[in-house]
């Protein structure tokens, strides 16, 4: 089920047989000269929707949380970022809204490495309230990056043995190409494989990584490779949420 395309009685009915919801979460930020600004929120959304296409009754997908922590990409136009504290507060409000109605398993499928620290910190803030109150938190939170779903990293490494890199990667761009073939871009990339290095503030980032990529050659992406990644990720997601739903609170 897709939450945004449902009416409230349908969600009320869903909650009678399942307490699990999947929230695709990402970022809107530069992805090099050929990558879409929406890449990091599109990938988890595409994968969650593919899982829904395979088994519509086995998954409830929330609207995509599409703006994340991307301060280091602010040197490139089109990037929109929340500061970590704003992002964490917003995650808290999403969780409070969903848990208020009885969701007990809230699964964040993430598409942006820069979100990880803030999402984990947001979870700790939420749990801390219950811990200080000496009460048991009535819900469980889980963060999974789509590239960590079963077998996905192995497939990406086989598809792109060199030039995968860590930002504007051929795997994430392939996923968007499969879903949005009309938006495929091309450019002359020099060097073909981008440099690597540390991530600090936005001006430092732009000086180190002038076209926005880190360690990647996104021209290796293709819609066919993207389709393989989506199919494997969607299968992994369905298995993972099933296991999460079955987790017993001790
Ligand atoms: Ni990305």
């Amino acid at each position: 089920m897709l939450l945004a395309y449902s009416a409230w009685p349908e969600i009320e009915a869903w909650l009678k047989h399942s307490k699990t919801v999947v929230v695709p979460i990402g970022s809107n930020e530069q992805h090099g000269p050929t990558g879409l600004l929406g890449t990091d929120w599109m990938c988890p959304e595409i994968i969650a929707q593919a899982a829904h296409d395979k088994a519509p009754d086995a998954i409830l997908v929330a609207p995509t949380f599409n703006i994340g922590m991307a301060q280091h990409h602010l040197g490139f136009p089109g990037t929109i970022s929340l500061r970590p504290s704003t992002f964490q507060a917003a995650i808290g409000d999403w969780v409070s809204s969903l848990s208020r109605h009885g969701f007990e398993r809230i699964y964040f499928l993430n598409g942006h490495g820069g979100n990880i620290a803030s999402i984990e910190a947001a979870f700790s803030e939420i749990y801390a309230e219950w811990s200080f109150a000496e009460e048991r938190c009535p819900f469980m939170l889980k963060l999974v990056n789509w590239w960590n779903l079963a077998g996905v990293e192995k497939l990406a490494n086989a598809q792109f043995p060199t030039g995968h890199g860590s930002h504007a990667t051929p795997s994430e761009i392939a996923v968007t190409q499969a879903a949005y073939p009309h938006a495929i871009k091309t450019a002359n990339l020099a060097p073909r494989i981008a440099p690597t290095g540390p991530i600090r503030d936005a001006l430092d980032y732009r000086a180190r990584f002038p076209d926005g990529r880190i360690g990647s050659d996104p021209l290796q992406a293709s819609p066919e490779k993207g389709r393989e990644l989506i199919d494997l990720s969607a299968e992994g997601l369905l298995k993972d949420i099933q296991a999460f739903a079955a987790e017993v609170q001790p």
Side-chain angles (χ1 to χ4, degrees), residues 11-250:
I11 302 303
E12 193 172 68
W14 171 275
L15 279 159
K16 288 192 169 55
H17 69 86
S18 169
K19 307 289 186 197
T20 305
V21 61
V22 174
V23 181
I25 189 165
S27 175
N28 197 90
E29 67 189 41
Q30 71 82 16
H31 270 75
T34 62
L36 306 183
L37 283 149
T39 299
D40 282 359
W41 63 259
M42 288 172 178
C43 288
E45 181 178 278
I46 291 162
I47 290 160
Q49 288 191 350
H52 176 262
D53 290 345
K54 284 180 196 288
D57 296 333
I59 183 169
L60 174 65
V61 183
T64 302
F65 193 144
N66 61 8
I67 303 296
M69 211 306 287
Q71 65 78 19
H72 45 295
H73 295 295
L74 283 169
F76 298 86
T79 298
I80 303 171
S81 180
L82 299 176
R83 66 186 66 225
S85 53
T86 314
F87 186 39
Q88 288 167 33
I91 292 166
D93 289 353
W94 279 59
V95 168
S96 295
S97 302
L98 291 165
S99 64
R100 183 194 188 285
H101 299 120
F103 288 101
E104 295 174 357
R105 301 283 187 281
I106 304 173
Y107 184 109
F108 286 85
L109 182 65
N110 180 44
H112 174 47
N115 281 351
I116 297 170
S118 293
I119 297 173
E120 294 286 7
F123 287 4
S124 294
E125 287 282 354
I126 292 162
Y127 291 138
E129 292 302 321
W130 298 93
S131 299
F132 283 124
E134 213 180 321
E135 284 178 36
R136 171 165 277 188
C137 178
F139 50 83
M140 294 181 195
L141 305 170
K142 185 165 180 173
L143 166 63
V144 175
N145 306 308
W146 70 263
W147 56 86
N148 291 139
L149 288 164
V152 174
E153 210 163 3
K154 196 173 159 199
L155 173 60
N157 287 336
Q159 289 176 327
F160 311 108
T162 58
H164 186 269
S166 59
H167 186 65
T169 65
S171 59
E172 60 181 343
I173 286 171
V175 168
T176 65
Q177 288 183 344
Y180 304 109
H182 62 279
I184 295 175
K185 326 265 177 216
T186 190
N188 289 322
L189 298 180
R192 185 69 189 258
I193 296 179
T196 59
I199 294 174
R200 297 195 175 108
D201 65 86
L203 291 180
D204 181 274
Y205 185 106
R206 183 135 191 182
R208 287 177 197 279
F209 316 111
D211 72 6
R213 299 172 295 143
I214 304 179
S216 67
D217 169 16
L219 297 180
Q220 299 178 76
S222 72
E224 295 70 28
K225 287 174 180 163
R227 180 47 57 195
E228 292 173 4
L229 288 161
I230 294 167
D231 284 344
L232 188 63
S233 302
E235 279 169 28
L237 176 60
L238 287 169
K239 282 193 196 127
D240 210 29
I241 55 169
Q242 203 174 23
F244 187 39
E247 252 186 64
V248 179
Q249 206 170 30

